């Protein structure tokens, strides 16, 4: 697909501003009604989903040219998908896809962002999106984890760039493996030779780099005859499950998030969290596990001639409804003593943590502001801790809590489950 393929969607935008807020039916008061961090932060229509569609359409028509301000609008977007979900509550049109394509057009036209270019170069030279302090498989030392490059395994665990590079997250990955190993599952990893999924470079606008990386990864998977992959990273999950499928690269690989896999083990009685943990928590839905983790829908057809935007056969739109929402909540509520108190913006209408779309690299101040907004919402519930299921969300929240000197805890779902076992 290219930006031109979404011309009809962009022309459909009527500037109703629905993309800026959670749907009216979800509003519970005068707070926490915004859904798009970019428009909430910069308060100018161009920074909204609809504003970006208008700009992209104008670029297609040749009525505007690249400027520093235009590029500021393009790159100050987490590509969290919330604008599209709110729009699709009432409308059938693509929103996040043309916005992503517009960024890719900027890259193709040489209008890159220096910070994102640095990450792109790092992937090409080191194979990782972030600096690796040591060996990629260092987190698995002493776990007796099988090497999927040399031995056939039933399940492949993918740690991801951040988890393997951040020593503070090594215990989380190790706890995940111990829980699965103790359940009798034959699980392994690629260890030091684990490859980046490429998902974040796709978010940054580098389509070819993503496809090249995905092809390398799938060649490794196919050589090892892997049938099931489990990952604890929402960004990796969306890449493997959704983006690989979109570009016909996933094949028959089954992709599960750790919360999905462990929920299955809890439901069949293999795992029994018996230890009581008295803690009032609220749960944050990661964008790429939730609304953007919904399965890709392949569609082939044509637009029906005429003024109305109609297709034959009818086109199915992904509206974020079928992301991974219940599995992490099931794990939490299965633990004795845990009280789950929900925020206002949850599931497909959740507010972003700030880490996506390259914003963490290009504008860390905006990423921190976005995280702080979510932390404030979490604290407003009266919860003692914020729980999530993505290392990028966890890291961004913890960094902002440290910067703001706030006494509030952040945990991964698996961290609490491990304590309950």
């Amino acid at each position: 697909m290219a930006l031109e393929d979404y011309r009809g969607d962009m022309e459909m935008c009527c500037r109703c501003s629905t993309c800026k807020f959670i749907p009216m039916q979800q509003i519970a008061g005068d707070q926490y009604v915004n859904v798009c961090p970019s428009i909430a932060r910069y308060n100018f229509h161009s920074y909204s989903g609809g504003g970006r569609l208008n700009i992209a359409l104008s670029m297609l028509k040749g009525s505007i040219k690249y400027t520093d301000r235009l590029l500021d609008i393009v790159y100050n977007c987490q590509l969290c998908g919330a604008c599209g979900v709110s729009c699709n509550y009432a409308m059938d049109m693509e929103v996040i896809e043309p916005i992503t394509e517009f960024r890719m057009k900027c890259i193709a036209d040489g209008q890159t962002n220096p910070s994102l270019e640095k990450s792109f170069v790092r992937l090409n030279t080191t194979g990782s999106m972030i600096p690796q302090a040591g060996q990629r498989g260092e987190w698995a030392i002493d776990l007796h984890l099988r090497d999927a490059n040399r031995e056939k395994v039933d399940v492949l665990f993918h740690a991801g760039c951040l988890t393997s590079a951040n020593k503070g997250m090594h215990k989380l990955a190790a706890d995940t493996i111990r829980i699965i190993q103790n359940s009798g599952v034959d699980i392994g990893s690629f260890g030091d030779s684990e490859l980046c999924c490429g998902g974040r470079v796709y978010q940054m606008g580098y389509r070819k780099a993503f496809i090249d990386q995905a092809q390398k990864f799938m060649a490794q998977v196919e050589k090892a005859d892997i049938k099931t992959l489990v990952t604890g990273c929402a960004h990796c999950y969306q890449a493997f499950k959704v983006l690989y499928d979109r570009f016909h690269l996933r094949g028959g690989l089954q992709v599960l998030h750790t919360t999905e896999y462990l929920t299955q083990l809890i439901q069949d009685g293999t795992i029994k969290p018996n230890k009581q943990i008295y803690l009032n928590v609220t749960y944050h839905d990661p964008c790429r596990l939730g609304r953007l983790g919904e399965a890709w829908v392949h569609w082939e057809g044509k637009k029906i001639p005429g003024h109305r935007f109609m297709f034959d056969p009818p086109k199915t739109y992904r509206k974020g409804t079928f992301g991974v929402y219940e599995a992490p909540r099931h794990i939490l509520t299965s633990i004795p003593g845990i009280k789950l108190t929900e925020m206002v913006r949850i599931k497909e209408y959740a507010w972003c943590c700030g880490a996506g779309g390259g914003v963490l690299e290009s504008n860390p101040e905006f990423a921190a502001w976005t995280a702080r907004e979510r932390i404030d919402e979490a604290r407003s519930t009266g919860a003692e801790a914020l729980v999530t299921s993505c290392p990028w969300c966890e890291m961004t929240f913890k960094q902002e809590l440290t910067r703001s000197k706030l006494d509030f805890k952040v945990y991964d779902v698996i961290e609490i489950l491990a304590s309950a076992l």
Side-chain angles (χ1 to χ4, degrees), residues 120-128 149 190 193-198 208-224 240 244 249:
F120 162 68
V121 171
R122 181 182 294 116
L123 177 63
N124 282 341
T125 55
T126 70
S128 174
N149 293 296
F190 284 139
S193 67
E194 178 186 275
L195 298 176
C196 172
C197 68
K208 184 180 184 303
F210 162 73
I211 292 176
D212 290 345
Q213 188 67 21
Q215 289 173 335
K216 292 176 186 177
F217 186 90
M218 286 308 300
Q220 188 181 28
V221 164
E222 290 165 7
K223 182 178 180 180
F240 293 137
Y244 281 32
L249 296 170

Side-chain angles (χ1 to χ4, degrees), residues 191-346:
D192 292 339
S193 67
E194 178 186 275
L195 298 176
C196 172
C197 68
R200 285 182 67 81
V201 80
Y202 180 87
Q203 297 173 33
M204 294 175 183
Y206 297 89
R207 187 205 315 269
K208 184 180 184 303
F210 162 73
I211 292 176
D212 290 345
Q213 188 67 21
Q215 289 173 335
K216 292 176 186 177
F217 186 90
M218 286 308 300
Q220 188 181 28
V221 164
E222 290 165 7
K223 182 178 180 180
D225 194 25
I226 302 298
K227 305 299 182 187
T228 300
L229 180 151
V230 173
T231 181
C233 175
H235 291 245
C236 296
Y237 176 84
Q238 190 229 4
F240 293 137
K241 179 185 174 182
V242 182
L243 299 180
Y244 281 32
D245 187 22
R246 176 183 179 177
F247 292 99
H248 304 282
L249 296 170
R250 199 180 87 191
L253 180 67
Q254 181 186 33
V255 178
L256 295 169
H257 188 261
T258 49
T259 58
E260 291 181 292
Y261 193 76
L262 294 175
T263 291
Q264 292 177 4
L265 297 179
I266 291 173
Q267 290 176 331
D268 66 19
T270 304
I271 291 177
K272 298 178 181 179
N274 295 320
K275 182 180 177 182
Q276 291 190 335
I277 298 178
Y278 295 105
L279 191 65
N280 181 1
V281 304
T282 191
Y283 177 72
H284 167 75
D285 291 283
C287 303
R288 286 167 176 81
L289 181 62
R291 53 178 167 259
L292 293 178
E294 186 175 67
W296 185 258
V297 178
H298 291 279
W299 175 85
E300 290 185 6
K302 60 183 180 180
K303 181 180 180 296
I304 298 175
H307 178 68
R308 296 187 64 83
F309 196 56
M310 299 177 66
F311 298 93
D312 182 25
K315 184 176 179 179
T316 300
Y317 289 82
R318 298 165 63 242
K319 301 188 177 186
T321 310
F322 302 108
V324 179
Y325 303 120
E326 300 309 321
R329 288 174 171 81
H330 180 86
I331 291 175
L332 289 172
T333 55
S334 71
I335 298 172
I338 288 289
K339 178 184 178 183
L340 175 61
T341 305
E342 296 280 16
M343 289 181 271
V344 174
R345 296 173 291 190
I346 63 171

Side-chain angles (χ1 to χ4, degrees), residues 70 86 103 115 133 135 244 266 288 311 322 324 375 380 384:
L70 185 147
S86 285
R103 181 175 292 196
S115 298
Q135 294 296 314
Y244 281 32
I266 291 173
R288 286 167 176 81
F311 298 93
F322 302 108
V324 179
I375 290 169
S380 74
E384 302 167 78

